[in-house]
Amino acid sequence: MGDKKIFLYSTEGEEQGALPVIEGSYGPDVIDVQNLHEQTEMFTFDPGYLSTASCESSITYIDGDKGELYYRGYAIEELAKQSSYLECCYLLLNGELPGADALGEFEMIITEHTMVNEAIRRFYEGMRYDAHPMAITLGVVGALSAFYHDSIDIRNPKHRTISAHRLIAKMPTIAAYSYKYTMGQPFMYPNNQLGYSENFLHMMFANPAFEYKVNPVAARAMDLILILHADHEQNASTSTVRLAGSSGTNPFASIAAGIASLWGPAHGGANEAVIRMLEEIGTKESIVHYVERAKSKEDSFRLMGFGHRVYKNHDPRARIIRKACYELLDSLNERDTPLFETALELERIALEDDYFIEHKLYPNVDFYSGLILKALGIPLNMFTVIFAMARTAGWIAQWSEMLDDPAQRIGRPRQLYTGATPRPYVEIGER
Ligand code: CMC
C-alpha cells in the first residue's frame, strides 16, 4: 500500500477521516473503504458494483477502453493462437504456464478423471425427459458433493486440487450426458484417446450404432471457444462462486451456484439469443427493419451479440473468434446458407451504421461463438452449458484464490434501508 489517501470532508469543510488508496500492479487503483463505516457511520452505495472492486485478484485483467484481456498476464490473442484449453486451465489454476512435463502430467490427470461415478448416470434418470440441459447440468454438478465427498475439505490443499481436477475433467461428460438424456440417446463414455474438446464432441455426437470421427477443424474451434470463455474477471457468475464459497461451502456447491448465475440471459444466454434473433430476422432483406428497431427509443428490441458493459471499443475475444468463425464457415461450406448469410450481412450493416459507431456497439464474442456453435451442429439449448464448461476453470481458480487470501471473510454486503421505520405490532382485529 502506498501513501496515497482520499480525505473525507463534511459539507461544513471539516475533515472526517481519510481512506487509503491501494495500488494495483496494472490498471486502476482502489480506495480502501473497509474503515469508512467506523470513521463516518456511513456505508458506500453501489448496486451492480459499477465502481466497486469486490476482491483482490491476480488471475485475469480486463481493460475495457483499450479492449485488452489477459490471463495471468498473458494476452488472450497469444493464448488463442498458441495455447490449448487445458494449458489455459493449468495457467489459471497455477499462475504460470506449465513446462512440457507439467502439461503432460496435467493432461493425463484430467484425462484419468473424465468418467463419472456410475451412480451419477442413474441420477440423470430422475430428471424429466424434456428438461433443459442447463437445468440438468446445474443439478448434477450440485449433486457431485454427494458422490465425491472424499475430497470436499476446503482447508485440505490435496482435496482442493482433486476437486478442481474432477470438475474440469467431468464437466464435458456431465454436459454431453445432459444433452444425450434430453435426446433419449445412450450416454457415450468418454474416450481417453481423444483430446479434451475432441472428447466432448465425441460424447455429444457419437452413438453406439455408428462410428463417428471428430472433425479436427471442429475440435479446434471448440477448443478456441473454451479458451476465450475460460475466465473473465469478477463477472456475475464468478462473483456468485466467490460469495457462495466465502461461507466455506464445498467446491461443487460453489460451482453449482456459478452455473445458476450464468444461466440468466443477461450473462451466459447471449449467444443462444443471437441465433434466435437471426432466425427471427430470417432473410437479408429484413435486416434494415431490425436495425431500425434496435435504434428506436420506443422499441425495446436490441441487436443481440452487439455491445458490452466493459469493452467500449472492441471485445478482443470477438476479433479472435471472428476470424475463426469465417474460416470454419468456409471449411464447412456454410457461408451461403441463409442464417449465416444473414449474420454476415447484419455484421456489415451494423458496423457501417452511424448509430452503432457513435454508441460504440461492436459485435461481441457471443455474436461469433453463437455462429460457430450453430455451424458445429450444437443445439441452441447447449450453448450456455458449453459456456459453463469453459468457465469452470476460471471459477475454480477464483474460488481457490479467495480461500488462500489471508484477509478472506464471509461476503456480507450491507444495504441502504428504505422500508418502514419501527412501529408497534397491530392486533389482527385492529388492522
Ligand atoms: N442494440 C442496440 N442498442 C444498444 C445495444 C444493442 N445490442 N446495446 C446497447 N445499446 C444502446 C442502448 O440503447 C443505449 O443507448 P442510449 O444511450 O441512446 O440510451 C446505449 O447503447 C448504452 O447501452 P447500455 O444498456 O447502457 O449499455 P450497457 O453497458 O449497460 O449494456 C449490454 C451492455 C451487453 C447489456 C448491451 O450492449 C446489450 O444488451 N447487448 C446485447 C446483449 C448481448 O450481446 N450480451 C452479451 C454481452 S458479451 C457477454 C460476456 O462478456 O460474457
Side-chain angles (χ1 to χ4, degrees):
M1 201 183 299
D3 295 334
K4 260 203 257 174
K5 282 194 171 86
I6 298 287
F7 288 91
L8 303 164
Y9 291 92
S10 68
T11 28
E12 288 78 37
E14 194 183 320
E15 190 186 316
Q16 292 210 304
L19 299 172
V21 171
I22 310 177
E23 288 172 21
S25 56
Y26 191 54
D29 300 338
V30 300
I31 303 168
D32 180 354
V33 296
Q34 288 181 86
N35 293 324
L36 180 76
H37 185 249
E38 211 174 276
Q39 295 183 37
T40 63
E41 291 188 2
M42 280 190 274
F43 296 124
T44 55
F45 181 62
D46 186 16
Y49 300 99
L50 295 183
S51 290
T52 296
S54 63
C55 63
E56 183 180 328
S57 181
S58 59
I59 301 175
T60 295
Y61 179 78
I62 299 172
D63 186 322
D65 293 329
K66 292 192 204 147
E68 291 176 350
L69 168 62
Y70 300 89
Y71 295 163
R72 302 282 192 183
Y74 294 100
I76 193 69
E77 290 79 5
E78 291 187 51
L79 293 170
K81 204 165 164 194
Q82 295 170 70
S83 189
S84 65
Y85 176 65
L86 279 190
E87 187 179 67
C88 287
C89 291
Y90 184 100
L91 174 67
L92 289 167
L93 293 176
N94 299 292
E96 297 296 335
L97 284 170
D101 288 350
L103 179 60
E105 194 191 338
F106 182 70
E107 287 173 342
M108 198 181 76
I109 292 170
I110 296 300
T111 306
E112 278 173 2
H113 283 94
T114 50
M115 288 209 296
V116 293
N117 186 304
E118 281 295 293
I120 294 180
R121 291 165 66 92
R122 291 194 292 278
F123 187 69
Y124 281 79
E125 287 161 22
M127 307 280 176
R128 222 177 97 143
Y129 69 97
D130 57 353
H132 193 291
M134 195 65 175
I136 301 178
T137 303
L138 171 56
V140 173
V141 172
L144 288 182
S145 49
F147 294 95
Y148 299 106
H149 46 74
D150 58 338
S151 65
I152 55 173
D153 176 0
I154 59 163
R155 294 292 156 206
N156 181 330
K158 269 200 187 144
H159 281 209
R160 265 159 58 187
T161 305
I162 295 170
S163 291
H165 292 161
R166 280 180 169 156
L167 276 159
I168 291 171
K170 294 181 200 311
M171 273 305 278
T173 314
I174 293 168
Y177 283 8
S178 70
Y179 169 63
K180 287 293 196 194
Y181 183 72
T182 60
M183 294 298 287
Q185 288 184 12
F187 296 167
M188 293 300 291
Y189 282 110
N191 175 349
N192 289 349
Q193 306 300 317
L194 304 175
Y196 190 87
S197 296
E198 224 181 345
N199 205 2
F200 171 65
L201 292 173
H202 156 77
M203 289 185 283
M204 281 287 294
F205 295 120
N207 77 52
F210 83 111
E211 205 190 332
Y212 172 82
K213 207 163 162 11
V214 179
N215 176 348
V217 180
R220 178 61 201 153
M222 180 56 66
D223 213 57
L224 181 66
I225 287 182
L226 299 184
I227 292 173
L228 297 182
H229 288 87
D231 199 38
H232 211 225
E233 209 224 53
Q234 307 310 320
N235 54 82
S237 58
T238 303
S239 301
T240 303
V241 169
R242 279 183 177 262
L243 192 56
S246 77
S247 72
T249 191
N250 70 72
F252 304 113
S254 298
I255 301 304
I259 296 176
S261 167
L262 185 78
W263 196 358
H267 191 2
N271 50 10
E272 181 179 336
V274 168
I275 303 300
R276 293 200 193 282
M277 173 192 74
L278 290 170
E279 284 171 351
E280 188 188 321
I281 294 176
T283 60
K284 284 201 291 184
E285 291 66 40
S286 312
I287 293 174
V288 175
H289 167 68
Y290 281 90
V291 170
E292 287 312 312
R293 280 189 61 192
K295 287 156 44 171
S296 164
K297 284 257 175 261
E298 280 73 53
D299 196 327
S300 62
F301 175 80
R302 284 187 167 191
L303 284 189
M304 298 314 287
F306 285 78
H308 197 275
R309 167 57 69 80
V310 181
Y311 298 120
K312 291 302 178 196
N313 275 319
H314 71 268
D315 178 342
R317 303 165 301 172
R319 282 200 175 160
I320 299 164
I321 206 173
R322 176 180 193 270
K323 189 164 167 279
C325 176
Y326 274 71
E327 284 168 7
L328 181 76
L329 292 181
D330 284 342
S331 85
L332 299 176
N333 248 335
E334 290 269 9
R335 240 202 227 213
D336 299 336
T337 53
L339 186 110
F340 297 114
E341 220 181 31
T342 307
L344 303 186
E345 183 64 2
L346 173 64
E347 180 201 35
R348 189 189 67 76
I349 292 176
L351 283 174
E352 288 172 2
D353 190 286
D354 286 345
Y355 173 91
F356 284 84
I357 295 170
E358 277 161 26
H359 284 74
K360 300 189 170 180
L361 297 170
Y362 305 95
N364 56 45
V365 64
D366 286 325
F367 184 75
Y368 302 105
S369 69
L371 293 178
I372 289 184
L373 292 174
K374 177 77 181 163
L376 294 180
I378 305 277
L380 293 194
N381 59 10
M382 280 299 289
F383 285 16
T384 323
V385 179
I386 290 170
F387 193 161
M389 196 170 110
R391 189 56 58 85
T392 296
W395 287 332
I396 302 168
Q398 302 264 357
W399 169 79
S400 204
E401 180 183 65
M402 176 196 68
L403 293 178
D404 284 338
D405 184 347
Q408 191 261 323
R409 306 164 113 182
I410 187 167
R412 179 42 172 104
R414 301 307 299 262
Q415 63 173 7
L416 168 67
Y417 177 71
T418 54
T421 51
R423 47 185 171 162
Y425 181 80
V426 182
E427 288 301 328
I428 194 155
E430 294 168 25
R431 287 175 213 161

